[in-house]
Amino acid sequence: MTDNTISDATPGESVTDPVTGLTGRIGVVGGIESLVLDGRRLWFGFDFTSDQVLSPLIDDADAMAQYAARHMRQRTGAHDESYWAQLVQTAVENSDLVRHDEQRTFTTQSLEAGDAGPAHGHLLYLLDAATEDPADDDPVHTGTGFEERATQSGLRPDEVTLDGKDGVRETALTLHAVGNWSLLFAPYARSAQTA
């Protein structure tokens, strides 16, 4: 099984296998975005037309460029790693999703407290973009080729209730984060448990 998790490796070490893409999200036209979690920059592919995350969170710029070259496209077609490396670097300073850097900066402590501050709205948007509902006809894919209830990172939210779009309470386990996105969402889900 391929591991797409963030590790305790030092920056610059490859911590994500860029070979395996997220099932159902390969070859999609998208761009590169980034966020900061606990002081660590994480990149991800994003399809702006369908509001869908296209990759796991990747903490190495070179690995992100390699992943994008293998699994993502631009409107002009496929591009090499050097092309994507420029977009990865641009995503450090600029975002097409939010205006201010503090809107894409998170700490585990604030997420566990249920207070993402100015990033709260963006967190909810990313939660929607990076999850799949098993009630849909498509199975849950974690990028490994296996259908799993736990997310790729090995973290899984406890059975926490969250407000659904229609005000219906549902468990966090009814929504599945793709790739290793539970790194961002599991602490937030835990906060709902204590609320």
Side-chain angles (χ1 to χ4, degrees):
M1 181 182 329
T2 303
D3 186 3
N4 286 329
T5 62
I6 305 298
S7 74
D8 292 327
T10 58
E13 288 183 31
S14 180
V15 296
T16 301
D17 179 0
V19 176
T20 304
L22 297 177
T23 304
R25 300 176 189 216
I26 298 171
V28 176
V29 172
I32 305 294
E33 286 288 329
S34 73
L35 58 87
V36 175
L37 178 62
D38 295 329
R40 192 173 201 169
R41 177 75 54 185
L42 305 171
W43 289 271
F44 59 98
F46 195 81
D47 176 1
F48 299 96
T49 60
S50 67
D51 297 322
Q52 188 177 56
V53 164
L54 300 177
S55 76
L57 292 164
I58 299 174
D59 68 347
D60 178 85
D62 292 336
M64 183 68 238
Q66 185 179 18
Y67 183 94
R70 290 185 181 177
H71 303 296
M72 294 174 57
R73 302 291 177 263
Q74 289 272 278
R75 290 184 180 149
T76 54
H79 292 279
D80 63 13
E81 288 180 38
S82 63
Y83 173 90
W84 287 102
Q86 292 175 353
L87 295 179
V88 168
Q89 289 310 310
T90 299
V92 172
E93 297 295 325
N94 300 306
S95 171
D96 289 329
L97 296 177
V98 295
R99 289 187 176 167
H100 307 287
D101 203 44
E102 57 269 3
Q103 293 174 293
R104 59 185 181 145
T105 302
F106 306 92
T107 65
T108 300
Q109 182 179 7
S110 66
L111 292 172
E112 286 179 339
D115 178 20
H120 186 79
H122 189 48
L123 173 70
L124 296 178
Y125 175 75
L126 290 175
L127 175 61
D128 186 52
T131 57
E132 294 178 327
D133 187 345
D136 290 344
D137 292 337
D138 295 329
V140 174
H141 299 288
T142 61
T144 64
F146 297 101
E147 298 175 18
E148 300 177 0
R149 289 192 61 81
T151 56
Q152 185 68 24
S153 70
L155 298 175
R156 66 190 275 161
D158 294 328
E159 292 191 355
V160 183
T161 57
L162 301 173
D163 284 332
K165 292 178 183 172
D166 300 324
V168 176
R169 304 288 282 178
E170 54 189 23
T171 67
L173 290 178
T174 64
L175 299 174
H176 301 282
V178 297
N180 61 357
W181 278 82
S182 65
L183 289 170
L184 189 60
F185 302 134
Y188 186 70
R190 284 192 297 268
S191 76
Q193 188 175 31
T194 60

